[in-house]
Amino acid sequence: GDPSAQWRDYQGAPTGTDIECKGWRQEAALRMLNNNLDPDVGENPEELVVYGGTGRAARSWDAYDAIMAELRELDDDETLLVQSGKPVGRFTTHERAPRVLIANSNLVGKWDDWEHFHELEAKGLIMYGQMTAGSWAYIGTQGIIQGTYETLAALADEHYDGDLSGKIVVTGGLGGMGGAQPLAVTMNHGVCIAAEVDEGRIDRRIETGYCMEKTDDLDDAIEKATEAAENGEPYSVGVHINAADMLEGMLDRGFVPDVITDQTSAHDELEGYYPSGYSVEEADHLREEDPETYVEESLDTMARHVRGILDIQDAGAIAFEYGNNIRGQVKEHRDMQHAFDFPGFVPAYIRPLFCQGKGPFRWAALSGNPEDIHRTDEAVVDLFPEKEQLHRWIDLAQEQVEFQGLPSRVCWLGYATDDDGLTERARFALRINELVADGEIEAPIVVTRDHLDAGSVASPNRETEAMRDDSDAIADWPILNALLNCAAGADIVSVHDGGGVGIGNALHANNHVVLDGSELAAEKARRVFTTDPGMGVIRHADAGYDEAIEQAEKSNVAVPMRDR
Ligand code: NAD
């Protein structure tokens, strides 16, 4: 239906120090939901779509209105239940319990596929929550930029002396997440060529400073990129072309980049990925008229796309999959048994961090005041004087990352404990809570995170690909993560199916803690920022990773069967 009138009035999260809910925890939920649907933050908020194909913040505009009304009425000792983007119940619990509990897109094992999902979605019974879309934790492309930057920095460390200067990275997809790629490459001093079928998406990345130029002409892109690389200058260009066609065009021309990856929405062959041979408008029309043909053509293009990546790898490039399940898709639907001949980015670059409970967490200033985030930047730098890479990141972010919606910051901290047994994340949160209490920060800060974190996700083609003990598909861990974070008193807790790799391919959980300067917030922060990264440590210790076992020993994390 038509967008809700109150959503049109809001145009993003309310800001300032006056609240319309009965407490800051409820207000934080209301502001974060509207921040997801801010036209500057979400990709297509008119249809409630936040990012990642069809990742939605609420099931329908009626459901959005109902969630807003519930949040306004919710008492400090009540808990609202949201099932796939629709409010379904409200119970008296207690003040220390979560204010909102969310479950999105979950299906019982045998029914857990796109076919059943789309049937139920058409009946209005379920919604695709992606990861941070349905859990109201999306903060725009700025949310992924550090992860993309760190992944490319880890790649540069491993292969090129820590810098991408003079190197060309080829990728696809300039959507909500993929749009971070050109800036992450240029922040590492490299050159990026990105294929994108939707010209409007390229324009959006250029307007927000994530990408430098656009072209329709592949020769032009290769020429400019090669020249910039030869001069060691950072450069990025969005090419208005289908990614599969671009890779074949590069192979035909004998052009071999240094690095090849992709972030088109390949996890969803119907509503995320575009088949070759159609403009966006023509493809959108085909999807409406004849979804079966669309899916077949989309998967055919994906098969060519993966073949292109493998051929470019054979020609000498470093290839990795960037978490969109493009390998899984063509292995399953086009019987390409060699699709997994290039690695996923987690086993290649991220898992050692997960073993120490390190992952991307983020915080947003509910005041809407950028000064509040600058104050938190100073606090991180003060608290961790020894972390040079973190300082470099904060400097780069301040210089080059524009705020979208509520001012926010992302940073990777882990479990490592100090003399008082406080984890890095807990120390950070407690410091911010003090700054709010002292009035140095104008309004509460909400701390949340991606579902892609150390101990919160089971995803055999991504976060848990190639686990040491073959436990890739065991989904008890994200469920324990969500239950434990409820027990620890997080303010919003959610569990989703699907996310970045599609229905049936992952389960994952997320949480929010509102730092309003109170003793209650300090108590919650101390617990949640121990249990949450702690899940990463025990999950990887259980799988037999030495880094995790060492971290558990150093920080006195109880891992029962290891202690015996
Ligand atoms: P999005 O839907 O906002 O954007 C995808 C973009 O790809 C769109 O702009 C679309 O026009 C373009 N596209 C689709 N098919 C194409 C093709 N064949 N050629 C060229 N362009 C094409 O999605 P997003 O939020 O940017 O996420 C992209 C993918 O990355 C998703 O599969 C998502 O699940 C995954 N993802 C990975 C990570 C990670 O950490 N690695 C994080 C989030 C999302």
Side-chain angles (χ1 to χ4, degrees):
D2 283 344
S4 131
Q6 62 173 333
W7 169 76
R8 286 202 189 285
D9 288 346
Y10 275 114
Q11 293 289 325
T15 53
T17 51
D18 293 337
I19 62 175
E20 42 188 303
C21 297
K22 294 183 179 171
W24 270 109
R25 308 205 141 69
Q26 302 87 311
E27 180 75 15
L30 183 146
R31 292 191 184 188
M32 292 300 277
L33 166 59
N34 282 289
N35 194 48
N36 270 20
L37 294 170
D38 183 326
D40 289 339
V41 177
E43 289 295 302
N44 186 6
E46 299 248 336
E47 289 180 29
L48 286 154
V49 169
V50 181
Y51 78 103
T54 57
R56 287 190 164 81
R59 203 186 302 174
S60 62
W61 286 111
D62 285 346
Y64 164 88
D65 283 338
I67 293 170
M68 294 286 288
E70 290 294 327
L71 290 174
R72 285 194 196 100
E73 279 174 32
L74 198 68
D75 277 320
D76 284 337
D77 62 353
E78 287 185 312
T79 298
L80 175 68
L81 299 181
V82 177
Q83 179 259 322
S84 280
K86 177 181 131 179
V88 290
R90 172 150 55 105
F91 288 96
T92 299
T93 52
H94 59 92
E95 206 191 5
R96 283 168 165 69
R99 292 288 71 83
V100 186
L101 292 174
I102 299 175
N104 283 322
S105 332
N106 296 288
L107 289 163
V108 170
K110 269 197 175 179
W111 285 259
D112 200 2
D113 55 36
W114 279 119
E115 202 184 326
H116 286 104
F117 176 85
H118 283 135
E119 263 172 38
L120 294 165
E121 188 188 34
K123 291 187 176 153
L125 295 172
I126 200 165
M127 156 190 112
Y128 202 58
Q130 250 289 352
M131 287 187 146
T132 51
S135 57
W136 313 338
Y138 188 68
I139 54 171
T141 310
Q142 61 182 341
I144 198 71
I145 179 75
Q146 194 195 4
T148 315
Y149 166 78
E150 296 288 352
T151 303
L152 290 163
L155 180 149
D157 275 343
E158 197 169 315
H159 301 284
Y160 307 121
D161 283 336
D163 193 57
L164 289 180
S165 172
K167 307 295 174 200
I168 301 178
V169 178
V170 165
T171 188
L174 293 178
M177 298 282 99
Q181 296 175 104
L183 182 58
V185 171
T186 52
M187 278 177 155
N188 279 292
H189 310 125
V191 172
C192 180
I193 306 178
E196 170 57 63
V197 285
D198 183 345
E199 195 172 356
R201 302 279 191 132
I202 309 182
D203 291 335
R204 186 162 182 182
R205 302 310 151 212
I206 292 176
E207 278 157 26
T208 50
Y210 278 77
C211 184
M212 293 177 181
E213 290 185 2
K214 73 169 175 181
T215 180
D216 280 324
D217 180 353
L218 182 57
D219 289 306
D220 182 40
I222 292 177
E223 196 181 310
K224 285 199 178 135
T226 308
E227 196 184 312
E230 280 168 6
N231 296 331
E233 281 164 10
Y235 174 70
S236 59
V237 56
V239 189
H240 182 210
I241 190 173
N242 193 292
D245 297 335
M246 181 171 87
L247 300 194
E248 287 173 3
M250 288 177 166
L251 285 159
D252 287 347
R253 289 164 175 77
F255 169 76
V256 183
D258 299 283
V259 180
I260 173 99
T261 185
D262 178 57
Q263 271 199 59
T264 57
S265 277
H267 68 277
D268 183 344
E269 62 272 27
L270 179 63
E271 295 181 275
Y273 192 82
Y274 280 100
S276 165
Y278 299 87
S279 68
V280 166
E281 295 69 33
E282 288 163 355
D284 290 346
H285 184 70
L286 175 67
R287 182 190 299 117
E288 287 286 311
E289 295 297 305
D290 185 357
E292 277 168 31
T293 302
Y294 186 102
V295 163
E296 289 309 307
E297 298 221 11
S298 172
L299 290 166
D300 285 346
T301 304
M302 247 185 253
R304 286 174 42 214
H305 191 161
V306 170
R307 216 169 290 127
I309 294 175
L310 288 168
D311 287 348
I312 290 176
Q313 174 175 253
D314 283 348
I318 296 162
F320 66 95
E321 193 213 77
Y322 214 151
N324 61 358
N325 201 29
I326 196 165
R327 296 170 303 167
Q329 288 280 54
V330 299
K331 183 173 178 193
E332 184 179 338
H333 299 291
R334 287 296 178 270
D335 199 29
M336 281 178 68
Q337 293 307 319
H338 57 300
F340 280 77
D341 285 356
F342 65 113
F345 73 111
V346 174
Y349 304 111
I350 305 289
R351 185 152 305 140
L353 303 174
F354 280 176
C355 288
Q356 303 158 58
K358 281 192 189 147
F361 77 115
R362 60 189 60 179
W363 56 96
L366 294 175
S367 63
N369 183 354
E371 279 310 309
D372 280 356
I373 290 299
H374 294 143
R375 197 65 201 85
T376 65
D377 285 344
E378 286 165 19
V380 186
V381 171
D382 280 356
L383 269 176
F384 304 103
E386 73 292 353
K387 289 186 188 285
E388 274 171 36
Q389 219 175 333
L390 183 65
H391 297 189
R392 190 163 64 125
W393 162 248
I394 297 284
D395 285 346
L396 278 171
Q398 285 186 349
E399 253 168 52
Q400 300 189 23
V401 181
E402 281 181 34
F403 290 133
Q404 290 170 266
L406 290 176
S408 311
R409 192 65 82 215
V410 176
C411 157
W412 288 55
L413 289 175
Y415 196 89
T417 41
D418 66 4
D419 295 342
D420 298 324
L422 289 173
T423 68
E424 290 176 350
R425 293 196 205 188
R427 281 157 71 196
F428 166 77
L430 290 170
R431 181 76 193 111
I432 300 305
N433 197 47
E434 278 168 21
L435 293 173
V436 176
D438 293 346
E440 285 200 45
I441 289 177
E442 201 173 282
I445 298 280
V446 55
V447 183
T448 176
R449 60 163 172 74
D450 199 350
H451 297 224
L452 176 159
D453 198 355
S456 55
V457 48
S459 181
N461 289 350
R462 200 164 103 171
E463 289 87 343
T464 51
E465 174 176 353
M467 290 295 286
R468 181 163 292 168
D469 62 348
D470 297 329
S471 59
D472 306 18
I474 295 184
D476 296 333
W477 298 100
I479 292 174
L480 284 174
N481 176 264
L483 294 172
L484 181 65
N485 284 327
C486 279
D491 294 311
I492 305 180
V493 177
S494 59
V495 189
H496 294 194
D497 175 13
V501 285
I503 286 293
N505 290 304
L507 282 198
H508 32 85
N510 156 286
N511 62 71
H512 297 231
V513 175
V514 181
L515 303 173
D516 62 359
S518 65
E519 187 38 49
L520 178 64
E523 193 189 293
K524 284 165 174 263
R526 211 174 289 124
R527 283 195 301 255
V528 174
F529 297 117
T530 304
T531 55
D532 197 30
M535 281 300 301
V537 176
I538 65 163
R539 198 269 174 267
H540 290 88
D542 190 74
Y545 287 90
D546 293 337
E547 296 99 318
I549 295 164
E550 273 163 34
Q551 186 66 61
E553 279 167 4
K554 265 196 287 188
S555 296
N556 286 323
V557 184
V559 187
M561 304 277 289
R562 291 253 161 218
D563 294 346
R564 241 163 247 173

